[in-house]
Amino acid sequence: MKINISEQALRWFKEEVGLSDGGKIKFYSQIYGCSPVQENYSLAFTVDNEPLDMEVSTEIDGITFYVEGSDVWFFNGHDLHVDYNEKKDELEYRYTK
């Protein structure tokens, strides 16, 4: 599994979430919602600078984006692509094998 963050999404995290060098974003599964990879679950994120079990991560401009071991099941073997949709003013997630 890989985590891919677009330039637009990175800019959004810096501006809207206030992330800077050394910051960490954890992606995790939450019950309810829907996703193309897990029925009845959706993906969420939080600022979490103290990971417990960082299994998959990528660092861009000093910011770490990661998934802990307990949430890897959610991706079902897919890579995560995070982009920003300017028209909707929100993040978009794509999953590819």
Side-chain angles (χ1 to χ4, degrees):
M1 177 192 167
K2 294 179 185 176
I3 300 171
N4 301 287
I5 309 293
S6 73
E7 286 295 322
Q8 295 85 353
L10 179 63
R11 187 170 35 255
W12 185 89
F13 278 109
K14 288 179 177 181
E15 292 172 2
E16 297 297 322
V17 181
L19 288 178
S20 58
D21 194 28
K24 294 179 179 62
I25 290 288
K26 174 174 74 172
F27 293 104
Y28 63 95
S29 61
Q30 64 180 11
I31 197 163
Y32 304 117
C34 64
S35 76
V37 291
Q38 293 295 336
E39 190 174 326
N40 299 321
Y41 288 88
S42 61
L43 188 64
F45 73 86
T46 188
V47 175
D48 188 345
N49 291 325
E50 297 184 23
L52 300 174
D53 178 26
M54 190 186 307
E55 187 161 321
V56 179
S57 66
T58 189
E59 184 179 321
I60 304 170
D61 283 354
I63 299 170
T64 302
F65 299 88
Y66 71 95
V67 174
E68 293 197 335
S70 60
D71 282 310
V72 170
W73 66 270
F74 172 84
F75 298 93
N76 195 23
H78 291 79
D79 292 338
L80 172 63
H81 301 269
V82 182
D83 202 356
Y84 171 72
N85 183 319
E86 195 170 331
K87 285 184 181 180
K88 294 181 179 179
D89 190 28
E90 64 184 31
L91 293 177
E92 290 185 336
Y93 304 119
R94 282 187 311 108
Y95 307 89
T96 59
K97 277 210 173 198

